Every structure is written in structure tokens, then in C-alpha cells.
Amino acid sequence: MQTNLRGRDLISDLDFSKEEVETVLDVAFDLKRKRALGQPHAYLRDKVLGLLFFFTSTRTRCSFEAGMAQLGGHAAFIESQTTQISHGDTATEIGEILGRYFDGIAIRQCDWGIGNRYLNEVANAARVPLLSMQCDVYHPPQCLADLMTIWEKKGRDLRGKKIVVSWAYASSYSKPISVPQSLILQMPRFGLDVVLAHPPEFELMPEIMDQAREQARKYKTGFDVVDSMEEGFKDADIVYAKSWGPLVNITDPAEITRVTNKYESWITDARKMALAKEDAIFMHPLPADRNIEVTDEVLDGPQSVVFDEAENRLHAQKAVMALTMA
Ligand code: CP
């Protein structure tokens, strides 16, 4: 167990070592048990976490707010649009100033080419931990909850098991690429063989792919890329299928729509789930485009673990907050 997390930032999934992630999840399971038993666990009494959002959220906002209250502290919800950020407060100023008010700063800034840089600039100027609530490159709190859910459903010995991280069609908006990038970085460290499935235009960032391959080499796990959903789903133990935008390759909005619409058949349905192992689980961070990205039959079916996955956001984030902000 690694206990040296006080004061640390969490921006990239690899900011915490494998052993530190194990510590986070050990604490998360303890906090989940304490909440189930109604046992108080006010490790952050009188502490305040600033939650700065540049982008909409349901699960992230609610779980961070509830988590801080359950830990005995307070979360201050801040929207960029209703602050002077919209009139020129810089990232460095925000880090300096919010770091003097709060005991931690959490930020969601997903703008392509901007978000990760912004989080790092705030972190460099702040005297308190910076916790990502998702940027354009990574979504670490989602990935910690995902790993916690996988441990609950498949056990901790994941060696030889296969996760398919698949692109899926969506029509609502061009979703960030941070979730698949976090998954391919984190999961090899815990023994999973990763298969990434996407149409050719929906590549992930080359530097993230290199890092993911390096992790797979280091932990002696499989790492393959295929361009067919069916091929990816074959014999998978874990199906993680969601949409993301062709952001690495295409910037023009009209071209993004044109290219995305070529792949309407990339929906997770019962026929495709049948290609995976009989006891395979279906995961999605939500929100999903119902009956476009994934059918109701799968999303609400017995193999879906999406609500346990959403719940685990609360427990995993509470562990990160308690360990970094105490
Ligand atoms: N999965 C996730 O981050 O959900 P929200 O966008 O609702 O926060």
C-alpha cells in the first residue's frame, strides 16, 4: 500500500502509480462499506473543494458534491460562464487565487487542445491538489470507478481477461476521446488484455497510443487495434463501447458529421453482445445515446453494469479526495 498521496494532483491516469491506484481503490471499498453501514467518515471536516466546470455534467458534479458532504466538507460549484474567467481571469490567476480559498481544486475543461493545458497551468499556480474532472485527454475519476467496478464483477486477478474498448455511433454531439484514452492507459497495469476497436477516422492520440503500448509491454498484456466492432467484441470479458469524436484527424464540424454518419451500424445490440463471452459485462460512462449508441435491451439488460459503475464514481472520488486533501 502506498500512502504518500497527500497534496498530489490527479490529471493524467498515470500520475498515480499502480500501487497508489490500488491504495485509492482499497480506501474506496472501505468508504463504500462505511456508507452502506451508515458509519460516519468525516475525514475532510471543514475542508472545501472548488468544482470548476467549463462543460455540462450530471454524474461528475453530483458525485463530487455528495462525496465532499459525506466526508464532512463542502464542495463549491463554479461555472466558468458565471465567473470573470469569461472576462479574462487567466489559468495562473485562477490557480493562485482559488488555491488560497480552497483545500483542493477540481476542474472539468474538455475543449480540444485546451483542457489538459488549462488544468496543468492551474495546477502549477495552485498550492493545493488539482483533481481532474475530465479534460480533452484524460478522464481519471471515470477510469478509477471503472476499474473498481471491474474488480467487483470480475475479481482482482484480471490476467488473461479481455476488455474491448470500442467506438460507437452517436448523433447527439462529438464526445471527448478522454474515456477510451484513460482506459487503454490504466487497464494494462491491472492485467487486462486490451483490444481497441474503431473506424479508421476515429484514432486516439498517437502519444497516448505509444504510452498504452508501453504499459502493455511492461505488464506483459495484450494490446491490439481492430477496425470492426464484431471482431473486437469476440470472446471479450468486458465490453466498453462508447462514442467519441474524430478529433485527432478532423476539425471541420460538417466533415465530422459526414464521417460519423458513415458508421451508424456501430451500435451495441444483443447480436453483437452474443459475440462476447456469455458472462461478459457491458460498461458505459453515460450519458448514452439510447438505441443509437447502445440498445435499451443491452443498456437495461442483465449484462449491463452501468449503474454500479456510476455509483462507484462516488466511492472512488471520495477516496481520492480523502487521500489527497486530508
Ligand atoms: N460519465 C460522466 O463523466 O458523466 P457526466 O458527464 O454526467 O459527469
Side-chain angles (χ1 to χ4, degrees):
M1 175 175 271
Q2 298 291 309
T3 54
N4 185 26
L5 288 164
R6 194 165 291 134
R8 295 269 297 278
D9 299 330
L10 181 57
I11 298 173
S12 155
D13 298 271
L14 303 185
D15 284 349
F16 289 179
S17 69
K18 177 177 186 279
E19 291 73 21
E20 288 166 345
V21 170
E22 285 166 349
T23 300
V24 168
L25 293 194
D26 281 343
V27 171
F29 281 113
D30 182 51
L31 293 172
K32 187 169 185 174
R33 192 163 47 242
K34 284 191 165 77
R35 179 164 160 75
L37 290 168
Q39 290 177 349
H41 45 275
Y43 299 123
L44 295 180
R45 198 180 294 284
D46 300 327
K47 304 267 183 176
V48 184
L49 175 67
L51 305 181
L52 174 57
F53 283 89
F54 289 75
F55 193 73
T56 51
S57 167
T58 306
R59 281 143 291 271
T60 304
R61 175 183 175 181
C62 296
S63 53
F64 268 99
E65 287 197 18
M68 272 307 285
Q70 290 161 19
L71 289 167
H74 172 72
F77 173 67
I78 311 154
E79 276 182 304
S80 63
Q81 285 302 317
T82 55
T83 67
Q84 301 289 30
I85 292 170
S86 57
H87 292 150
D89 279 335
T90 67
T92 299
E93 288 164 358
I94 289 296
E96 269 289 353
I97 296 164
L98 297 195
R100 296 175 189 221
Y101 301 150
F102 299 130
D103 302 285
I105 304 170
I107 304 179
R108 168 171 281 193
Q109 168 43 294
C110 303
D111 291 342
W112 181 241
I114 294 172
N116 184 258
R117 197 172 59 234
Y118 185 85
L119 264 63
N120 279 290
E121 281 175 23
V122 175
N124 287 339
R127 59 183 68 178
V128 296
L130 189 299
L131 305 179
S132 172
M133 296 193 291
Q134 186 179 21
C135 69
D136 52 333
V137 183
Y138 311 105
H139 197 342
Q142 180 66 54
C143 198
L144 289 171
D146 294 339
L147 181 58
M148 185 175 180
T149 310
I150 290 169
W151 279 4
E152 286 179 338
K153 307 297 178 188
K154 295 288 173 189
R156 290 195 183 203
D157 181 8
L158 297 171
R159 201 150 279 280
K161 294 204 187 308
K162 167 180 166 180
I163 182 170
V164 55
V165 177
S166 178
W167 185 84
Y169 175 69
S171 55
S172 55
Y173 69 107
S174 194
K175 302 186 184 191
I177 65 173
S178 48
V179 168
Q181 297 203 140
S182 286
L183 289 167
I184 67 168
L185 288 174
Q186 190 70 275
M187 294 309 164
R189 305 207 287 183
F190 293 91
L192 282 172
D193 295 328
V194 172
V195 174
L196 177 66
H198 61 76
E201 297 91 338
F202 291 83
E203 287 169 333
L204 301 181
M205 292 166 65
E207 53 270 43
I208 299 292
M209 292 293 288
D210 287 346
Q211 278 184 293
R213 284 195 187 94
E214 190 187 314
Q215 293 299 311
R217 263 195 305 276
K218 183 172 171 187
Y219 291 98
K220 299 185 171 41
T221 55
F223 187 85
D224 291 303
V225 183
V226 298
D227 62 3
S228 147
M229 220 177 186
E230 283 83 354
E231 193 180 339
F233 277 40
K234 199 164 172 302
D235 297 327
D237 298 277
I238 300 152
V239 173
Y240 202 121
K242 75 170 303 293
S243 190
W244 64 82
L247 305 164
V248 172
N249 295 312
I250 306 170
T251 50
D252 175 50
E255 183 62 4
I256 286 176
T257 304
R258 193 193 65 77
V259 167
T260 304
N261 287 344
K262 287 190 338 192
Y263 300 107
E264 278 187 35
S265 65
W266 284 61
I267 179 172
T268 302
D269 56 16
R271 184 188 64 81
K272 290 200 191 90
M273 279 303 291
L275 299 170
K277 292 220 177 101
E278 205 175 331
D279 63 350
I281 55 172
F282 174 79
M283 302 185 74
H284 192 295
L286 303 177
D289 286 25
R290 279 180 174 265
N291 299 311
I292 295 171
E293 206 174 342
V294 50
T295 61
D296 285 345
E297 186 184 7
V298 171
L299 197 57
D300 300 325
Q303 289 172 284
S304 173
V305 298
V306 297
F307 298 123
D308 290 339
E309 187 183 355
E311 176 186 333
N312 284 336
R313 294 290 305 274
L314 174 73
H315 310 301
Q317 287 158 202
K318 281 168 72 177
V320 171
M321 294 187 286
L323 287 163
T324 59
M325 292 171 60

